[in-house]
């Protein structure tokens, strides 16, 4: 591998102590970066959860011990976030270095668009494919017609049930008057 692909010996604050001396490819770095981002999101959620439960000073004397514990926890989470962001920056720089020499192509050119493929398919269509497509269109049309008929029938049943319910209410109202 390229010497650029090697990770430097970690500093005491850098979390790459497990990968020191090993060659790490760009895909592995990206996976580690993804895990780091997930850890950052998790720590961020923890911080917001802690802040959400924190009571604002509204003239009441807060419990000093609880306040200091929460503040210590918050500071610890912020320090962990700083370490994770440093780790993520290091991963980004290593990935950027390892891909600097690569020729980047236009991504849109790699995606086949439907309009580009239409002309090719028309030439390749055989009689059997045309027959199957026509049969499919007919079946779809029949299904649409049946669905419309079912909708009309359901509307009629709904109206009938509505009328029956109205008659039952009217009968029960007359029976209560008697």
């Amino acid at each position: 591998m390229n010497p650029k692909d090697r990770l430097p010996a970690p500093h005491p604050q850098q979390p790459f102590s497990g990968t020191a001396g090993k060659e790490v490819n760009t895909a592995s770095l990206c996976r580690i970066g993804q895990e780091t981002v997930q850890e950052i999101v998790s720590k961020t959620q923890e911080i917001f959860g802690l802040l959400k439960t924190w009571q604002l000073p509204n003239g009441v004397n807060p419990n000093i011990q609880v306040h200091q514990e929460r503040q210590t926890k918050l500071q610890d989470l912020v320090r962990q976030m700083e370490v994770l962001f440093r780790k993520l920056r290091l991963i980004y720089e290593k990935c950027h270095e390892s891909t600097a020499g690569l020729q980047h192509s236009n991504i849109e050119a790699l995606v086949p668009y439907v309009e580009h493929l239409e002309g090719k398919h028309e030439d390749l269509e055989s009689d059997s494919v045309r027959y199957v497509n026509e049969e499919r269109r007919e079946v779809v049309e029949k299904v649409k017609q049946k669905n419309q008929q079912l909708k009309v029938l359901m509307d009629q049943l709904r109206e009938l049930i509505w009328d029956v319910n109205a008659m039952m209410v009217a009968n029960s109202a007359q029976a209560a008057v008697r």
Side-chain angles (χ1 to χ4, degrees), residues 67-83:
H67 177 73
Q68 287 182 344
E69 286 176 3
R70 287 183 177 172
Q71 190 171 8
T72 304
K73 175 77 173 166
L74 183 62
Q75 289 172 347
D76 183 46
L77 287 170
V78 169
R79 277 193 295 274
Q80 291 174 8
M81 292 277 291
E82 288 175 358
V83 169

Side-chain angles (χ1 to χ4, degrees), residues 49-113:
L50 182 66
L51 291 174
K52 192 176 188 180
T53 61
W54 216 330
Q55 195 173 26
L56 294 175
N58 53 1
V60 178
N61 290 335
N63 186 347
I64 302 297
Q65 183 180 3
V66 171
H67 177 73
Q68 287 182 344
E69 286 176 3
R70 287 183 177 172
Q71 190 171 8
T72 304
K73 175 77 173 166
L74 183 62
Q75 289 172 347
D76 183 46
L77 287 170
V78 169
R79 277 193 295 274
Q80 291 174 8
M81 292 277 291
E82 288 175 358
V83 169
L84 289 171
F85 274 109
R86 281 191 213 116
K87 177 181 177 181
L88 188 61
R89 183 64 185 178
L90 181 66
I91 291 170
Y92 168 78
E93 289 171 355
K94 290 299 166 188
C95 285
H96 189 68
E97 285 176 14
S98 65
T99 59
L102 295 178
Q103 180 182 6
H104 296 286
S105 62
N106 184 6
I107 294 175
E108 291 177 0
L110 299 175
V111 177
Y113 290 107

